């Protein structure tokens, strides 16, 4: 295929964009089926009590010996109680692997990952600042030619 023609470039770009969207959609639809431990999809449909599950969410309440997380899973608010003494704060993001018991309780926690709220905000701010810097560098060294529909080095 001759990519010297701007129409051919646009066509190839659209085909690649469609392929990317299809692959992203497939991943979004199927990633829970390939998890090591079942997650909210299985919990809400089957409730595998006594089995190891993987849950995640935002901490909404803390107390001695337990904390609660909440997650909006496909429009349904799910609240889980985690029986563990891990120090967490409200608004922290938590991922937990543990045994599911009755009343949405996780006991015998095998693995817990805590992403503190301030670290999450710092990550977003840092990424935004780097994006601005990279756009500046890109704009400084490259320009877009609309007639040939390609980037040219300045």
């Amino acid at each position: 295929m001759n990519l010297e023609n701007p129409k051919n470039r646009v066509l190839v770009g659209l085909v690649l964009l469609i392929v990317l969207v299809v692959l992203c959609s497939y991943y979004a639809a199927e990633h829970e089926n390939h998890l090591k431990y079942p997650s909210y999809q299985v919990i809400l449909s089957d409730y595998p009590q006594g089995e190891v599950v993987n849950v995640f969410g935002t901490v909404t309440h803390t107390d001695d010996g337990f904390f609660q997380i909440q997650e909006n899973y496909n429009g349904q608010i799910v609240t889980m109680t985690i029986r563990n003494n891990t120090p967490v704060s409200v608004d922290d993001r938590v991922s937990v692997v543990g045994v599911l018991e009755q009343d949405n309780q996780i006991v015998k926690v095998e693995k817990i990952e805590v992403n503190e709220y301030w670290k999450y905000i710092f990550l977003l701010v840092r990424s935004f600042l780097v994006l601005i810097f990279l756009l500046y560098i890109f704009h400084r060294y490259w320009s877009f030619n609309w007639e040939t529909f390609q980037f040219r080095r300045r």
Side-chain angles (χ1 to χ4, degrees), residues 18-51:
I18 290 170
V19 169
L20 180 66
V21 167
V22 167
L23 289 173
C24 290
S25 299
Y26 175 76
Y27 177 80
E30 296 293 325
H31 82 279
E32 284 194 39
N33 295 335
H34 302 287
L35 293 174
K36 184 175 181 180
Y37 302 108
S39 189
Y40 288 118
Q41 181 181 14
V42 174
I43 291 171
L44 294 175
S45 64
D46 221 12
Y47 204 82
Q49 186 171 341
E51 293 184 24

Side-chain angles (χ1 to χ4, degrees), residues 36-95:
K36 184 175 181 180
Y37 302 108
S39 189
Y40 288 118
Q41 181 181 14
V42 174
I43 291 171
L44 294 175
S45 64
D46 221 12
Y47 204 82
Q49 186 171 341
E51 293 184 24
V52 177
V53 295
N54 181 12
V55 295
F56 49 89
T58 304
V59 176
T60 57
H61 176 75
T62 61
D63 207 346
D64 290 335
F66 75 94
F67 59 92
Q68 289 183 331
I69 61 173
Q70 192 173 49
E71 180 66 22
N72 183 350
Y73 182 78
N74 293 336
Q76 184 175 358
I77 303 295
V78 182
T79 302
M80 305 292 286
T81 302
I82 314 299
R83 300 270 176 211
N84 194 295
N85 291 323
T86 302
V88 295
S89 301
V90 174
D91 289 333
D92 287 352
R93 294 284 298 166
V94 177
S95 177

Side-chain angles (χ1 to χ4, degrees), residues 91-123:
D91 289 333
D92 287 352
R93 294 284 298 166
V94 177
S95 177
V96 179
V97 174
V99 177
L100 179 66
E101 292 298 329
Q102 61 187 356
D103 299 326
N104 286 347
Q105 292 187 32
I106 303 293
V107 297
K108 299 180 187 172
V109 173
E110 295 179 8
K111 181 180 177 185
I112 186 166
E113 294 176 359
V114 178
N115 188 8
E116 296 172 359
Y117 182 70
W118 73 268
K119 288 182 179 178
Y120 175 71
I121 296 299
F122 179 68
L123 175 80

